[in-house]
Amino acid sequence: MEHRLTHSNIATAALLLSTLVGALFAGPRHAFSEELPNGLGLPGLIWSNAVPASRAAPFRVGLQYGYGNYDPEGGINVDLGRADLRSQDLRLQLQVRAARAVRLAASFPLRILSLEGGESVTGLGDIQGAMSVRVTQVGRTGIGLWGGLTIPSGEESKGLTTGKIDGEIGFMTQTRFFGGGYAPRTDLIFNIGYRFNKDERDGYGWQAGEPSEVGGFFPIYPPVPSGGGNSENDQLLLRAALQFRQRWGAIFLEWSADWFNFSNEVGVSESPSWFTPGVVFGDGDGPSLRGSWSIGFAEDNQRTEFEPRVPDWYAQVAVA
């Protein structure tokens, strides 16, 4: 209970603070669409994909650092003898404007997984390739599609790969409000997608143990139960974000969830979900800097074998 209340208080404070800062910076001008790479390397925020803008640089290079901590004991000053798991990742991201409405991207991660009082591993993780397309524009709403593949290029002996080609596809919309006057431009982003997790026999990152044996976030999914179908460990991807843009950059609030909606082995509360406030400095014509703090809401259900070993919080800094 202590852990759940702590998350609630932190999320409420972050939401109020971010909204207040957005209001304080309201003014008569706003930035063009920045095309900072997200985790896939596509235009977007942290977890969300944005509809490609009609105006963008032909080529962008990004560097993204993330740090997250998972505490299985569920609270500050609690010591039950269970070690924390920490994850760091440094991602080189490439993004290409293949056409006015098409972006191609790739993400190359260097990962560090460390278990408190135990093993620490460092090495290359799985490479990701992705594409996003603006399909049409209806009034102020852009509509698009995205797809991505995770290539098992990580170091298997260190637990840094799923060993399988995983993939995802999805549908996205981006609606613009308040494009002129003294109000900041506001963008509302929605994503709905599907992730194909292909290591049906073992899953990835969901068990306690040394990182080289069981891996670690991200991603995380269980094996398919005996006699189950291959889709039972797949995930439904849901994203919603609100972004306030100004001439100096943007402030955003983002919610995301990766639901195991086909699985009977994972409790509803155990699917990874995040609330993320963040800020961007810069516009689409030059260098940009982004910082964010994702607060995790996954809670372990003692009635299932699955353990949501995802960070309680995950901080990111990115430049492009």
Side-chain angles (χ1 to χ4, degrees):
M1 179 64 70
E2 176 186 356
H3 201 42
R4 194 173 293 118
L5 289 174
T6 300
H7 280 169
S8 177
N9 292 340
I10 290 174
T12 302
L15 173 62
L16 292 175
L17 178 61
S18 299
T19 304
L20 175 62
V21 172
L24 289 175
F25 278 100
R29 298 173 62 188
H30 58 78
F32 291 105
S33 173
E34 77 290 336
E35 300 257 318
L36 263 176
N38 61 11
L40 286 173
L42 294 174
L45 300 175
I46 303 302
W47 312 98
S48 303
N49 294 297
V51 178
S54 57
R55 172 179 174 176
F59 184 78
R60 290 186 76 90
V61 179
L63 195 63
Q64 178 177 289
Y65 172 75
Y67 182 96
N69 182 79
Y70 167 69
D71 177 8
E73 293 160 343
I76 300 173
N77 298 323
V78 176
D79 187 5
L80 302 177
R82 302 183 67 190
D84 289 6
L85 177 65
R86 296 183 178 88
S87 172
Q88 301 178 71
D89 54 273
L90 183 65
R91 298 175 182 271
L92 173 65
Q93 296 154 317
L94 306 178
Q95 186 183 117
V96 177
R97 187 185 67 194
R100 183 178 180 183
V102 179
R103 304 292 181 273
L104 301 178
S107 180
F108 305 86
L110 174 69
R111 302 194 62 198
I112 304 172
L113 296 175
S114 57
L115 194 66
E116 182 183 22
E119 183 183 63
S120 178
V121 295
T122 301
L124 297 177
D126 288 343
I127 294 173
Q128 293 176 298
M131 179 176 69
S132 61
V133 180
R134 175 189 289 266
V135 176
T136 188
Q137 183 79 23
V138 181
R140 293 178 174 234
T141 300
I143 300 171
L145 302 171
W146 93 85
L149 288 176
T150 300
I151 310 300
S153 55
E155 298 186 55
E156 187 172 1
S157 63
K158 297 180 179 180
L160 300 178
T161 178
T162 66
K164 302 291 182 179
I165 298 178
D166 299 326
E168 61 184 65
I169 57 174
F171 170 84
M172 56 188 169
T173 66
Q174 184 169 351
T175 304
R176 185 186 71 228
F177 300 96
F178 311 120
Y182 283 85
R185 171 176 160 175
T186 303
D187 287 67
L188 183 61
I189 298 171
F190 286 110
N191 292 177
I192 181 168
Y194 189 90
R195 178 177 172 84
F196 302 89
N197 295 317
K198 302 309 293 181
D199 191 349
E200 280 86 11
R201 189 185 70 176
D202 298 320
Y204 182 77
W206 68 282
Q207 300 180 75
E210 298 290 346
S212 62
E213 298 174 353
V214 301
F217 44 80
F218 306 96
I220 173 174
Y221 58 88
V224 169
S226 178
N230 288 345
S231 64
E232 288 193 32
N233 63 349
D234 292 348
Q235 291 167 287
L236 181 67
L237 310 179
L238 301 174
R239 315 278 188 260
L242 193 61
Q243 182 174 221
F244 305 96
R245 294 187 177 177
Q246 276 297 333
R247 60 183 177 180
W248 52 266
I251 287 175
F252 63 88
L253 305 170
E254 188 177 19
W255 173 81
S256 62
D258 299 351
W259 283 352
F260 292 103
N261 56 306
F262 298 108
S263 176
N264 295 319
E265 306 293 319
V266 181
V268 174
S269 67
E270 295 182 308
S271 292
S273 61
W274 310 91
F275 173 79
T276 305
V279 61
V280 177
F281 295 100
D283 59 30
D285 295 327
S288 297
L289 170 68
R290 180 182 64 213
S292 63
W293 184 35
S294 295
I295 304 154
F297 283 87
E299 294 285 346
D300 189 26
N301 184 336
Q302 298 297 324
R303 291 173 294 181
T304 71
E305 293 185 10
F306 181 78
E307 185 174 355
R309 297 177 61 80
V310 295
D312 302 301
W313 54 268
Y314 184 57
Q316 286 186 322
V317 177
V319 294

